[in-house]
Amino acid sequence: DGGITQSPKYLFRKEGQNVTLSCEQNLNHDAMYWYRQDPGQGLRLIYYSQIVNDFQKGDIAEGYSVSREKKESFPLTVTSAQKNPTAFYLCASSITLGNEQFFGPGTRLTVL
Amino acid sequence: AQSVTQLDSQVPVFEEAPVELRCNYSSSVSVYLFWYVQYPNQGLQLLLKYLSGSTLVESINGFEAEFNKSQTSFHLRKPSVHISDTAEYFCAVILLPLRAGGTSYGKLTFGQGTILTVHP
């Protein structure tokens, strides 16, 4: 089956710890994205990548970092600098930037 | 910068009743328009999209949306809803043309979401 996988589905971390969220796609898409979802605020773009070895900040990149070493993978690290990291994180991909985006199932991060 | 407004945060409706979820956007240029649906604790699924051509677009499960350029709207409608339509619905836009290097290049901007609750 082609699609986007995110792991884990639920993640708990202590305050002050960095944590990395996984996102993998086998759709052969060039572009990948990370969004943060909070109740009543829709989705906000954290980082996006147009192609391997390239990525750009989105609207709320502070406290986050990404890498894009392989076409299939776009991991997101939530650092201790992120002041309010508890949220639902969604990864997406598209054939190229600006095309229809396909979403993964999401990771719910809770920082205790 | 473009913005997307979903006028209703929650819409309760009885089963088999019609429903309209409203979406307005602000943009001085052409756009691509999308409706996504999200079931609890899941990712987003594309419901329907407008890229060009006919302003009325339909999904396979009975939803439809009409692009109205003069009113900058893309309202979602269904003539008869089911319990299984209970979910959160997001309207989203991409600005055109897709100029490389522009600040809005390729970015999908979402509305705040509308929670549709269908009661028996």
Side-chain angles (χ1 to χ4, degrees):
Chain A
D1 282 339
I4 304 174
T5 57
Q6 291 185 243
S7 62
K9 189 169 178 62
Y10 298 96
L11 188 56
F12 297 88
R13 279 294 181 268
K14 291 183 179 179
E15 194 171 338
Q17 290 182 335
N18 292 354
V19 60
T20 298
L21 281 61
S22 167
C23 177
E24 305 277 334
Q25 54 98 0
N26 60 4
L27 300 168
N28 200 32
H29 286 173
D30 281 327
M32 296 187 74
Y33 314 80
W34 273 105
Y35 294 91
R36 171 184 171 132
Q37 185 177 19
D38 297 283
Q41 296 193 45
L43 277 72
R44 292 180 290 169
L45 182 65
I46 304 173
Y47 268 97
Y48 64 101
S49 168
Q50 185 175 353
I51 202 165
V52 175
N53 293 320
D54 176 76
F55 51 83
Q56 303 293 330
K57 292 182 179 180
D59 300 319
I60 55 165
E62 186 175 351
Y64 300 97
S65 65
V66 294
S67 63
R68 187 84 187 278
E69 298 176 1
K70 298 187 300 182
K71 186 176 186 177
E72 304 79 16
S73 179
F74 191 41
L76 173 75
T77 297
V78 184
T79 75
S80 56
Q82 169 50 233
K83 291 182 172 32
N84 186 18
T86 294
F88 191 49
Y89 290 87
L90 287 160
C91 178
S93 70
S94 61
I95 293 175
T96 58
L97 207 63
N99 280 282
E100 170 188 339
Q101 292 183 22
F102 295 82
F103 284 80
T107 292
R108 187 167 297 280
L109 172 64
T110 302
V111 175
L112 307 171
Chain B
Q2 76 274 26
S3 67
V4 180
T5 301
Q6 292 183 242
L7 296 163
D8 305 296
S9 60
Q10 298 194 47
V11 173
V13 65
F14 287 108
E15 194 173 17
E16 297 184 5
V19 70
E20 178 180 80
L21 306 184
R22 296 179 291 170
C23 173
N24 286 89
Y25 66 92
S26 64
S27 173
S28 57
V29 300
S30 297
V31 296
Y32 289 157
L33 293 155
F34 305 85
W35 274 101
Y36 283 88
V37 59
Q38 184 181 34
Y39 299 101
N41 291 311
Q42 295 186 24
L44 274 65
Q45 301 172 31
L46 182 68
L47 194 57
L48 44 76
K49 60 186 176 184
Y50 170 79
L51 304 181
S52 65
S54 172
T55 57
L56 184 65
V57 291
E58 299 176 352
S59 72
I60 58 173
N61 57 355
F63 282 95
E64 65 178 31
E66 185 160 20
F67 169 51
N68 188 318
K69 188 175 181 179
S70 63
Q71 297 185 8
T72 59
S73 68
F74 191 54
H75 301 332
L76 181 69
R77 301 184 183 94
K78 189 171 185 179
S80 176
V81 294
H82 302 289
I83 297 285
S84 58
D85 293 324
T86 295
E88 189 162 14
Y89 294 79
F90 292 93
C91 181
V93 303
I94 291 177
L95 288 185
L96 301 175
L98 300 175
R99 293 194 302 275
T103 57
S104 297
Y105 178 50
K107 289 169 58 176
L108 195 60
T109 299
F110 286 87
Q112 298 90 335
T114 297
I115 297 174
L116 173 65
T117 304
V118 181
H119 298 283

